[in-house]
Structures are given as C-alpha cells and as structure tokens.
Amino acid sequence: MSIGVTWRFMDEDTSDTGLPSVAVRVGMIRAGDYDVGTPTAIGDGGDGFEASLLVGKVMGPIAVSAEFGIKSLNNDIPRATTLAATAYWFTPVPGLSVRAQYYSQGSDGSLNIGTPEGPPAHPDRFPEVAEEVDRISIGATYSFGALSVGVDRFDTRDGRNTGDFDAWAASVSYNFDLFQPE
C-alpha cells in the first residue's frame, strides 16, 4: 500500500514571476503480506517512505516537467532514486496532446539476479537486488470532457536486474474534482 500527499508551493498560474510550478510529494509505503521471492511479485516486501520534487512549466503549446525522487525501504532493500523528464505538445486538435519522456532509476544496491562471475541471487533475496533502468517513451492522450484515453510506447534502453522490454500501454481515465469553492 502506498499513500502520499503532494503540496504545490509555487503555481505558475497564480504567480506573476514567470517561474515554474513547483511541488513536493511525500508518501508512506507499507509492505503487503504476499510472497516477494518471485520475479512477478507486485512489491518489494518492505515498509518505508518516498519523496520527490516536481517542477513544471507551460510555454504556450509546449510544456516540460521533471521529477526527482527517492524511495527508501527496510528489509535490506536498496534505496532507489528516480528521474523523469517529460516534454508535452498540446496539438492544434482540441483535446489531443502528445508527450515524450526519459525515465531513469538508480539503486545503491550491489546484489544481482545473475552474473557471469557467480551464481544468481536466491529468489528469496530478489527484493534486495539493485534495480536500475533507463527507459524512453512516447505517447498521446485525447481528452473529451472529464474522460481521457491514452496510448504509450515504452523502450528500455539500458538496465540491470530489470526486464529488457519494449511495450505498449493503453489507459482510460475519468477526472473528477471534489473541491467546491464557496
């Protein structure tokens, strides 16, 4: 389970400074009660926290954003740092936007699933491996009203203890706003 809070302390839409929007996110992670000794486990089996700094700027039909984050868990799970840099283009077609992203995750661990120099890590120790990945993606989203549909293409460029995959993803989302100003 993961729960977090994001606080935007600078909003480019309400400021006359011309500076970008800036936010921080902090979250808590609780381990599940499932077996993490398999490559298909949905989590690492550790409790901990995550925190990130987010920066974004809209410049006409173009927007850019970046997120730098850290995740730290117990149970000898390596600390992970992430960087995501994304560029958006709001096309002349109403509701259609396209994006390109570079994503990188580093790890301070040294255990590997398998290497030519030695035996692979036992499956019970999979959460302790150093997961590192560099990935690029391109995608598009079409929004009409509160409903959006999207498609993305991912390409893993480099990595360690991660899947070397090229993948497609499709999404459908519905946006609702619970904030009701008086």
Side-chain angles (χ1 to χ4, degrees):
M1 177 181 76
S2 176
I3 188 167
V5 174
T6 302
W7 178 56
R8 181 180 55 207
F9 60 88
M10 187 180 304
D11 186 344
E12 67 183 306
D13 289 335
T14 60
S15 171
D16 294 333
T17 65
L19 294 173
S21 294
V22 181
V24 293
R25 180 182 187 286
V26 293
M28 178 187 78
I29 301 167
R30 292 283 303 172
D33 60 357
Y34 47 84
D35 180 18
V36 295
T38 64
T40 57
I42 60 172
D44 291 319
D47 298 325
F49 75 92
E50 57 189 348
S52 58
L53 174 68
L54 303 96
V55 179
K57 179 78 174 150
V58 177
M59 299 162 287
I62 303 293
V64 293
S65 69
E67 179 176 4
F68 176 74
I70 187 167
K71 179 170 70 171
S72 182
L73 302 172
N74 63 357
N75 296 337
D76 297 321
I77 299 165
R79 182 173 36 248
T81 55
T82 57
L83 170 68
T86 310
Y88 305 86
W89 175 44
F90 306 107
T91 71
V93 177
L96 179 64
S97 64
V98 296
R99 67 192 156 278
Q101 182 184 70
Y102 169 74
Y103 173 85
S104 180
Q105 175 181 311
S107 172
D108 67 357
S110 60
L111 186 63
N112 290 308
I113 290 175
T115 65
E117 297 84 32
H122 189 275
D124 289 343
R125 296 190 67 195
F126 277 177
E128 299 173 40
V129 300
E131 296 178 67
E132 297 178 351
V133 65
D134 290 315
R135 182 174 50 235
I136 58 173
S137 65
I138 58 170
T141 298
Y142 182 71
S143 300
F144 40 99
L147 189 64
S148 297
V149 294
V151 64
D152 289 277
R153 171 80 167 123
F154 299 91
D155 181 26
T156 300
R157 308 305 294 167
D158 192 18
R160 179 169 72 134
N161 301 314
T162 191
D164 183 11
F165 66 89
D166 299 333
W168 287 91
S171 63
V172 176
S173 62
Y174 183 80
N175 185 22
F176 58 94
D177 188 355
L178 298 177
F179 178 71
Q180 300 294 321
E182 294 181 31

